Amino acid sequence: MQGGYRSHDTLTESILGFAEYLRSRDFNIGIREVQEALTAGSLGIIADKRSFSFSLKTIFCSSAEDALRFDLYFEQYWETLAEQLKGALDIKSRLVPQKKEVRSAVFMGKGHTDEKEKEQQDTKNVTGANSVERLRQTDFSMVSSIDSSHLEKLAMDLWKQMGKRLKRKLRLSVTKGTLDIRQTIRSSISSGGSMLDLRYKDKKPEKYRLVILLDVSGSMDKYSFYLLRFVMALREHFRNIEAFVFSTQLVRITDFLRIKNLDSVLSYLSQSTQAWSSGTKIGESMKAFNTAYSKRVLNGKTLTLILSDGLDTGEPELLSTEMGRIKRRTRRLIWLNPLKGSEGYQPLARGMAAALPAIDVFSSAHSLESILELERYLADV
Amino acid sequence: MIPEISRLSESFDRLGYVVDDELATVLYLMLQLKKPLLLEGHPGVGKTEVANILSAHSKTELIRLQCYEGLDVHSAVYEWNYQKQLLSIKIQESNQKSDLEKEKHIFGKDFLMPRPLLKAILSQDQSPVLLIDEIDRADEEFEAFLLELLSAFQISIPEFGTIKAAHVPWVILTSNRTRELSDALRRRCLYHWVNYPTIEKEYQIVMKKLPGIEQQLAGQIVEVVNKLRTKELEKSPGISETLDWAMSLQALGKRKLEETALAETIGAVLKSHHDIERMKAGGLAQLLSEIHH
């Protein structure tokens, strides 16, 4: 390794600088980790580059993703940047958290409603009980831009209520609790060991995991905006939720839902432009899901929810196989298709027809009302 | 490698374990910093084995807690011996002790059955190795409880009092990533991602565990398994599959791997009907021709 940071001060500074360097790349490193790194440095590990690298890796990384990126950053920093960064290390900049630029997201049906479509819209902007009823049944693709904010609020409210109800139902679905022997024995002492007063344990709530795969391809444009909000609303009430979006590729968005901030979710998604509003390869996306996640994420207590119009540009055989693989690993497979809301719709699209045999529940998701119906399928497991 | 880590590595080698340099460094740091170690990696890469290595090296007891959904305090920490308590109440029925004294008696140490976590805390002579296997299968509530345990190393039992560890155990946690662990837990631990071993390492492992095996056979087995791991399988073979397979071939008296031997024993290395069908359809001879030996 290069000279220059062999003496105590400069080594300390270099490690501090490296921690800072990693933090700016989204590593979660606290003071304790830095202290441990310094301790490791003082153990003489610095004398060997590989040992040093392995040590900092195990201390600074906290996930497989971190570990994958670490080696590159280690090389970059210690081989090229150490000298430059040492001088520039500014303690103050560490104290003020830097706000990330939030990019405005103009996509997903917002901002490009053209005139022709506006004329077609039969909905009018009226408020009141009547309009609520009307909005509940309006197809998302037909919502005027004036109505949309109103609908959004209504949707969030209704979905939140639904989430709450669902949570309660899933908890109550287990029958009577088991005998609490410990409490029973304790209470039986005064009666000389005769168990007159039986105590029961609290019922244990059954916990289901919800896995959501949301299609965000071009053909879903009008719907995906609302459906993503629906996913966010569910997230607030299911702790155990995994969410993915797909079009030509699959992106896991679970961690972004955790932030509870729709803007940051949208801005992240808009950055991975490839995934957005382009053609649909459902089969390939499902395959990616099966390869990378399904073994980990799916089990007998998982409900899998696919939100897609089924307009697949890939091979139907592939989709059919992959759907079968998902079906084998999950408790219930639900497919919500916004197109099913339109009159006379038949699942004839190649992709949809291929997927159908594996699906337990096939329902629509074009309006608020239709999504609220989902409650039935989720609660009655 | 610096001398301390080399020595550690040699000690593992003498005990019959093949440990790569990175893992040796991680274990060295774990012993130095006295921190728990979180291991993640695909099933079958030898995560659990790390605990065995550590316990063999420090000549200490290995206490194992297998996590599963619904794991609770009674199976993880302690349980009262109810039958014994009931008997004791019956026996004491006629004596003059007060209820309070009786209660104190039956909730005493003799009636306590320690489960893995309490066992690890109670250890008297030296720090045991505590393996918390597949922590991702346990509920989030249990994870929160564990977090508390890992920072204080003490356990409170309402009827009994608080027990503090005389020797802080070496804790190893493993996860298959069926669920993301909380940041809080991750930050309590050192982290190491366990990969499949390289061909050379796996060859060494086979030779170490099955000293009598033909070198050529061992080499072929390791290469085929390695090849299989690059295919898209429902279940990729782990190290234990490699060893099982090597043992099967050895038991059948094979000296080298050819197509018939592969077909007869493929169930030892591939554990899914779908995978076996696929490999057979692709041609086992083809698979064999892809390796060097």
Side-chain angles (χ1 to χ4, degrees), chain B residues 12 97-98 103 158 167 250 263:
Chain B
F12 294 148
K97 281 186 189 162
S98 70
E103 184 170 329
H167 301 277
Q250 210 184 6

Side-chain angles (χ1 to χ4, degrees), chain B:
Chain B
M1 273 197 287
I2 65 168
E4 288 87 349
I5 300 177
S6 306
R7 273 203 294 279
L8 198 62
S9 210
E10 281 157 23
S11 147
F12 294 148
D13 193 58
R14 272 197 304 279
L15 292 164
Y17 295 102
V18 181
V19 174
D20 66 28
D21 296 348
E22 180 165 357
L23 182 58
T25 311
V26 170
L27 288 173
Y28 171 71
L29 271 188
M30 180 188 173
L31 295 172
Q32 290 295 328
L33 297 173
K34 303 189 168 40
K35 261 191 116 173
L37 171 63
L38 170 64
L39 298 170
E40 286 191 321
H42 299 290
V45 289
K47 296 188 287 295
T48 307
E49 189 76 353
V50 176
N52 288 327
I53 297 173
L54 195 64
S55 111
H57 168 73
S58 38
K59 298 186 187 59
T60 169
E61 192 188 356
L62 173 65
I63 299 169
R64 176 177 173 163
L65 174 68
Q66 171 67 49
C67 297
Y68 52 86
E69 224 174 294
L71 176 69
D72 61 1
V73 174
H74 303 300
S75 358
V77 190
Y78 67 93
E79 180 72 301
W80 293 102
N81 188 339
Y82 301 119
Q83 288 85 347
K84 202 171 164 190
Q85 282 180 327
L86 285 175
L87 274 175
S88 171
I89 295 173
K90 280 287 173 203
I91 292 167
Q92 291 185 48
E93 212 168 350
S94 53
N95 76 16
Q96 297 306 309
K97 281 186 189 162
S98 70
D99 283 358
L100 205 68
E101 282 170 315
K102 285 182 192 171
E103 184 170 329
K104 205 168 165 132
H105 175 69
I106 65 161
F107 286 106
K109 210 170 185 177
D110 293 343
F111 296 86
L112 192 64
M113 296 193 292
R115 303 289 192 218
L117 293 184
L118 184 59
K119 233 185 243 169
I121 296 278
L122 283 173
S123 187
Q124 288 303 317
D125 313 329
Q126 55 169 328
S127 299
V129 174
L130 172 62
L131 169 65
I132 301 173
D133 220 356
E134 304 190 333
I135 171 71
D136 51 329
R137 288 190 195 282
D139 306 325
E140 280 172 46
E141 289 82 0
F142 184 76
E143 194 182 313
F145 170 80
L146 204 59
L147 213 55
E148 217 181 294
L149 180 79
L150 290 184
S151 52
F153 287 104
Q154 60 179 33
I155 286 172
S156 294
I157 302 173
E159 298 91 344
F160 190 82
T162 301
I163 304 171
K164 199 165 169 44
H167 301 277
V168 172
W170 306 113
V171 183
I172 290 185
L173 301 112
T174 76
S175 159
N176 285 332
R177 310 183 84 208
T178 60
R179 162 173 81 77
E180 284 298 321
L181 303 175
S182 72
D183 281 355
L185 183 70
R186 288 176 181 281
R187 294 191 58 181
R188 281 281 134 80
C189 307
L190 292 174
Y191 179 84
H192 180 55
W193 172 263
V194 189
N195 256 323
Y196 285 116
T198 57
I199 295 188
E200 293 76 33
K201 285 279 170 209
E202 199 161 14
Y203 177 74
Q204 285 175 28
I205 294 173
V206 174
M207 294 308 285
K208 204 135 211 160
K209 299 275 175 188
L210 302 168
I213 198 166
E214 293 286 327
Q215 285 186 15
Q216 191 192 3
L217 181 63
Q220 286 177 316
I221 288 171
V222 171
E223 280 205 51
V224 171
V225 170
N226 218 272
K227 199 97 247 143
L228 285 172
R229 286 187 191 135
T230 63
K231 315 252 184 223
E232 281 173 23
L233 296 175
E234 277 182 8
K235 190 190 171 314
S236 289
I239 299 174
S240 62
E241 271 83 19
T242 311
L243 292 172
D244 282 352
W245 193 29
M247 259 185 275
S248 323
L249 287 164
Q250 210 184 6
L252 294 175
K254 307 285 179 200
R255 299 173 67 85
K256 66 194 274 272
L257 196 59
E258 0 65 357
E259 204 184 331
T260 44
L262 179 58
E264 283 164 14
T265 55
I266 196 156
V269 69
L270 292 180
K271 306 282 177 69
S272 137
H273 173 66
H274 179 253
D275 290 345
I276 293 176
E277 287 297 303
R278 252 197 63 198
M279 284 301 123
K280 283 190 172 162
L284 295 177
Q286 168 69 23
L287 188 65
L288 281 178
S289 70
E290 285 175 41
I291 65 171
H292 301 301
H293 285 276

Side-chain angles (χ1 to χ4, degrees), chain A residues 40 45 50-60 70, chain B residues 5 25-26 28-29 190:
Chain A
I45 280 171
R50 287 181 68 222
S51 302
F52 187 53
S53 155
F54 294 153
S55 303
L56 292 186
K57 190 172 181 178
T58 190
I59 292 170
F60 285 154
F70 181 89
Chain B
I5 300 177
T25 311
V26 170
Y28 171 71
L29 271 188
L190 292 174

Side-chain angles (χ1 to χ4, degrees), chain A residues 144-159:
Chain A
S144 71
S145 50
I146 310 161
D147 266 350
S148 76
S149 67
H150 187 51
L151 178 67
E152 231 177 280
K153 204 188 154 303
L154 179 67
M156 279 320 247
D157 286 351
L158 286 171
W159 288 335

Side-chain angles (χ1 to χ4, degrees), chain A residues 41 90 111 123 125 161 200 228 352:
Chain A
D90 181 3
T123 53
N125 181 33
Q161 289 169 19
Y200 291 90
L228 186 62
M352 202 60 245

Side-chain angles (χ1 to χ4, degrees), chain A residues 282-284 286-287 290 312-325 350-355 357:
Chain A
I282 308 181
E284 301 239 344
M286 294 301 133
K287 187 175 177 189
N290 275 326
D312 189 10
T313 53
E315 284 305 309
E317 290 78 25
L318 179 66
L319 179 60
S320 170
T321 326
E322 298 303 326
M323 290 298 291
R325 284 173 72 188
R350 289 195 313 158
M352 202 60 245

Side-chain angles (χ1 to χ4, degrees), chain A residues 232-286:
Chain A
M232 304 270 319
L234 282 176
R235 161 69 203 152
E236 296 215 349
H237 297 282
F238 284 87
R239 253 194 315 176
N240 211 341
I241 199 167
E242 284 282 340
F244 303 85
V245 295
F246 67 90
S247 58
T248 50
Q249 68 194 75
L250 184 84
V251 183
R252 179 169 176 270
I253 57 166
T254 310
D255 292 338
F256 294 90
L257 297 179
R258 223 157 261 167
I259 318 170
K260 282 191 186 169
N261 179 354
L262 193 63
D263 286 337
S264 57
V265 175
L266 292 180
S267 80
Y268 168 75
L269 292 176
S270 65
Q271 281 166 32
S272 50
T273 43
Q274 269 199 304
W276 281 106
S277 302
S278 41
T280 327
K281 288 193 181 135
I282 308 181
E284 301 239 344
S285 303
M286 294 301 133

Side-chain angles (χ1 to χ4, degrees), chain A residues 125-145:
Chain A
N125 181 33
V126 198
T127 45
N130 209 358
S131 78
V132 169
E133 204 44 50
R134 179 179 53 75
L135 275 175
R136 281 175 70 136
Q137 291 164 17
T138 309
D139 194 301
F140 290 138
S141 63
M142 298 293 177
V143 179
S144 71
S145 50

